[in-house]
Amino acid sequence: MRSRINHSGNVIYHVEVKTSTSTYPITIGEPLLDSFKGFFKGYPSVFLLTNDTVFDLYNENLIRQMENDLPFLSHMTVPDGERYKSIETLNGIYEELSSKGLGRDGCVIAFGGGVIGDLAGFAAATFMRGVDYAQIPTTLLAMVDSSIGGKTGINLIKGKNMVGSFHHPKAVFCDLSFLNTLPERQFNAGVMEVIKYGLILDEAFYRFILANRDRVAARDRDVVAYLVYRCCELKAQIVGQDEKDKGIRAILNFGHTVGHALESYTGYRVYLHGEAVALGSLVIIRHLVEKGVLSIQSLEEFKGILGFFELPTSLPSDFEVDAILRHFSYDKKKEHGKSRWVTLRDVGSAEWGQAMDIEEVNSILRGLQRNG
Ligand code: NAD
Ligand code: GLY
């Protein structure tokens, strides 16, 4: 573990992402304003992308301060929402990047949640065949997942993240003070991604989350810093082994195949991503209990932690399960026409690649409608 105490007495963690094409630092702690400014001073032009919500919250005391210290910085805001992760928004960003004159030696800053990170990253990957970018994630989900690993992209009507590229940021700054303004529902959806890392890679970490649930929910600074640090470390290890998502990186999608089907069935209007992943994970854990791989106690423990963070544990009875299953046809990760499971050998140890038995998913989803 690499960490140090800063002048405010807070722990600052450092993680390095190292792949065959790219190496970059993740800094985790608070406050990190001086670190951001120091990093971007090296660029002749910097372009910050954010959304309306984050701009309103942080214009006064952050964006303006950055503009004062980095006179070559310009910014653009886009409307808030997943539906703006679109080709139309991207086109507007290209126009703005060219009119503001971002050079090939410039840098784009993604300042926001995963939507802004994916959009800014894809704009940076493609504008003038690729410019640098850095991530300043402001949601828990973006800090522990989307800002790391270089996946960038936009949605098409037919499905999420259908157009994109791998383009790693030059640096990631997880300033935990941004989480102070994050609504509880968004925070809890991010907690699901944190739980995911424990389930797939580190049982001790999973137990730590269960044991410290009250402190997590209270956003205790030290506990949240450790959670973000450990997730970044685990994700960096996986991305380092499988940068282009050809093998083990698949395990990061635990619960996501069913989760994505639920999101797309409900038109992205009912569940936040982490909430849909909670239900997707529950389907897998039920499947593993039925197969005798996991105990009923593991299932109860998992349902308990979902309930504690107000994540869903049952499916509304008016959902049409057959229609949900049809949404698997949009799964990008199919092999030979079949969706693959990411499953667990045990809590803390994932495996992937088994073909999914759609009939079994069907029966588990119906079970979730009856009794959760
Ligand atoms: P988001 O970006 O939509 O942010 C969630 C909400 O929180 C938004 O309304 C946003 O305006 C608001 N918000 C952001 N920061 C805030 C703050 N500090 N205070 C108050 N409100 C704040 O959603 P998300 O959950 O961060 O990310 C989801 C996106 O990430 C999806 O598009 C998903 O596809 C993508 N994703 C990408 C990867 C990847 O590897 N690239 C991985 C996981 C998810
Ligand atoms: N969020 C999944 C991945 O980065 O591969």
Side-chain angles (χ1 to χ4, degrees), residues 47 74-77 90-102 127:
F47 178 93
S74 54
H75 71 259
M76 173 181 181
T77 59
L90 184 69
N91 196 35
I93 298 169
Y94 291 142
E95 294 295 337
E96 196 72 7
L97 283 169
S98 39
S99 71
K100 291 282 163 38
L102 189 89
F127 184 68

Side-chain angles (χ1 to χ4, degrees), residues 51 53-54 57-58 80 82 85 112-116 118 138-139 141-142 145-146 148 151-152 160-161 178-179 181-183 186 235 249 273:
N51 73 15
T53 307
V54 177
L57 286 166
Y58 294 104
D80 187 357
E82 181 72 37
K85 205 171 103 177
V115 167
I116 289 296
D118 283 9
T138 60
T139 63
L141 180 137
D145 191 359
S146 61
I148 313 155
K151 282 189 183 174
T152 71
K160 270 185 80 167
N161 304 324
F178 296 131
L179 299 178
T181 55
L182 194 64
Q186 292 288 349
K235 182 151 184 184
R249 189 165 173 172
H273 178 66

Side-chain angles (χ1 to χ4, degrees), residues 10-204:
N10 298 331
V11 180
I12 304 283
Y13 291 101
H14 298 277
V15 173
E16 188 175 71
V17 183
K18 199 167 184 170
T19 73
S20 54
T21 61
S22 183
T23 299
Y24 52 97
I26 308 173
T27 309
I28 301 142
E30 62 181 295
L32 296 183
L33 183 61
D34 289 343
S35 310
F36 316 149
K37 288 193 300 201
F39 176 82
F40 295 114
K41 274 195 169 128
Y43 286 96
S45 55
V46 180
F47 178 93
L48 182 146
L49 184 75
T50 191
N51 73 15
D52 297 341
T53 307
V54 177
F55 180 82
D56 289 346
L57 286 166
Y58 294 104
N59 181 36
E60 283 298 318
N61 52 10
L62 190 122
I63 299 178
R64 278 210 199 132
Q65 276 194 48
M66 282 179 79
E67 277 172 338
N68 286 342
D69 283 31
L70 304 173
F72 40 85
L73 178 134
S74 54
H75 71 259
M76 173 181 181
T77 59
V78 296
D80 187 357
E82 181 72 37
R83 69 179 183 286
Y84 297 103
K85 205 171 103 177
S86 65
I87 190 83
E88 291 77 17
T89 311
L90 184 69
N91 196 35
I93 298 169
Y94 291 142
E95 294 295 337
E96 196 72 7
L97 283 169
S98 39
S99 71
K100 291 282 163 38
L102 189 89
R104 289 187 73 176
D105 51 3
C107 185
V108 175
I109 306 176
F111 181 47
V115 167
I116 289 296
D118 283 9
L119 257 175
F122 191 52
T126 44
F127 184 68
M128 291 196 290
R129 299 200 183 88
V131 296
D132 286 357
Y133 79 111
Q135 294 267 13
I136 306 183
T138 60
T139 63
L140 182 57
L141 180 137
M143 290 183 191
V144 300
D145 191 359
S146 61
S147 63
I148 313 155
K151 282 189 183 174
T152 71
I154 55 165
N155 301 328
L156 298 183
I157 306 277
K158 278 271 182 222
K160 270 185 80 167
N161 304 324
M162 294 291 273
V163 176
S165 73
F166 287 96
H167 186 55
H168 289 279
K170 291 291 170 195
V172 182
F173 298 97
C174 300
D175 186 324
L176 304 169
S177 63
F178 296 131
L179 299 178
N180 296 340
T181 55
L182 194 64
E184 186 164 288
R185 188 171 168 211
Q186 292 288 349
F187 182 82
N188 289 348
V191 169
M192 180 57 228
E193 297 288 347
V194 175
I195 294 170
K196 175 194 81 180
Y197 285 102
L199 284 172
I200 61 173
L201 284 164
D202 184 349
E203 183 180 2

Side-chain angles (χ1 to χ4, degrees), residues 189-237:
V191 169
M192 180 57 228
E193 297 288 347
V194 175
I195 294 170
K196 175 194 81 180
Y197 285 102
L199 284 172
I200 61 173
L201 284 164
D202 184 349
E203 183 180 2
F205 184 54
Y206 182 64
R207 303 263 155 243
F208 176 87
I209 303 162
L210 298 189
N212 288 281
R213 59 183 73 187
D214 291 312
R215 292 177 72 191
V216 177
R219 306 189 199 185
D220 175 291
R221 194 179 57 201
D222 295 339
V223 171
V224 173
Y226 175 66
L227 295 188
V228 175
Y229 159 71
R230 183 64 184 144
C231 294
C232 290
E233 189 177 55
L234 290 168
K235 182 151 184 184
Q237 282 166 13

